[in-house]
Amino acid sequence: MLVRGMTSAVFLDRDGVINVDHGYVSTWEQFEFLPGVPEALRELQDAGYLLIVVSNQSGIGRGYYSESDVDLLNQAVAEYLDSTAGVTLSGFYHCPHHPTEAENEYRKYCSCRKPAPGLIHRAMRDHAIDVKTSLLVGDKDSDIAAGKAAGVRRSAAKGGKTSGRQRRGARARRAVGQRVQSGACGKVECRGWQAVLCAECRQWERSDACGR
């Protein structure tokens, strides 16, 4: 049940979930939406969910690109989705740190780099989000772990490795291509990661196997 005065959200990793993970994507020219993502985001928005992006961006700490580069790319993504699909991204949250590979002040153990839940906690405070009625979609075990640590009860692993930069966890590999998600009404849809939303009851319930 949604707490009065609070809202539900979908927390989305960026690279590998919203866009093709080419490795340290930092410009609009490098950015490539995964198929069906704008339409899926619109469907989630129409169901009443805020859309929040939470991503590790250690490329900042490694010196590959700057905080300003990330902000400019986020702005371009938001403007594109708004103008072409009527989608509003309510917030972008990123962690620039890495515990061993970053430079100077960015080399640290922090509370915001997933699997730590700091980014989600910040979004919760900024937008009065009820995590019990929210969802997290990620493509790595660290994404799912961050959601669990923040109290997000429902999560979905998005498959689709595209760059070879990192190995995906077993959870994400099982999700490549299709994933079944069923709602409280028992209805089941299987349309890639868009299937997390039951069109009948607008409820979420995780199921691990697609059967395809």
Side-chain angles (χ1 to χ4, degrees):
M1 178 179 295
L2 182 64
V3 177
R4 185 179 299 275
M6 301 187 76
T7 190
S8 301
V10 179
F11 299 102
L12 299 144
D13 182 42
R14 197 191 75 181
D15 302 325
V17 172
I18 294 176
N19 59 284
V20 176
D21 187 355
H22 293 298
Y24 301 108
V25 174
S26 60
T27 67
W28 180 244
E29 290 71 27
Q30 296 172 312
F31 195 92
E32 179 184 356
F33 281 101
L34 285 167
V37 165
E39 295 82 3
L41 295 178
R42 179 57 188 263
E43 184 178 350
L44 293 167
Q45 177 178 279
D46 289 347
Y49 292 87
L50 293 183
L51 304 175
I52 306 289
V53 179
V54 288
S55 65
N56 289 343
Q57 293 295 324
S58 70
I60 296 171
R62 296 170 191 257
Y64 299 159
Y65 47 85
S66 68
E67 296 268 7
S68 296
D69 292 331
V70 172
D71 291 341
L72 286 172
L73 177 55
N74 288 344
Q75 181 179 351
V77 172
E79 290 177 352
Y80 176 87
L81 286 171
D82 180 52
S83 63
T84 62
V87 167
T88 298
L89 295 178
S90 296
F92 289 89
Y93 298 83
H94 69 266
C95 171
H97 309 115
H98 194 281
T100 60
E101 303 301 321
E103 301 175 347
N104 302 318
E105 70 272 17
Y106 292 113
R107 181 180 293 185
K108 60 186 292 187
Y109 288 92
C110 63
S111 62
C112 55
R113 180 175 171 80
K114 294 177 291 184
L119 297 179
I120 298 174
H121 285 163
R122 283 172 50 196
M124 289 166 56
R125 293 191 296 268
D126 291 348
H127 299 278
I129 293 169
D130 182 1
V131 291
K132 294 180 180 178
T133 60
S134 297
L135 172 79
L136 181 139
V137 181
D139 68 327
K140 302 178 183 70
D141 286 346
S142 58
D143 299 323
I144 306 304
K148 289 182 178 178
V152 180
R153 291 186 175 180
R154 292 174 290 270
S155 59
K158 169 69 176 73
K161 177 180 182 299
T162 55
S163 72
R165 180 168 60 91
Q166 293 179 325
R167 292 186 61 193
R168 306 307 187 207
R171 185 192 303 274
R173 289 196 298 272
R174 288 196 301 269
V176 172
Q178 300 290 335
R179 173 169 291 278
V180 162
Q181 298 288 344
S182 62
C185 65
K187 297 286 186 178
V188 175
E189 295 182 88
C190 190
R191 294 175 294 130
W193 75 269
Q194 299 179 53
V196 295
L197 179 63
C198 173
E200 296 292 332
C201 67
R202 302 301 186 187
Q203 299 296 316
W204 307 85
E205 180 178 330
R206 179 165 178 176
S207 175
D208 282 333
C210 175
R212 292 197 178 189

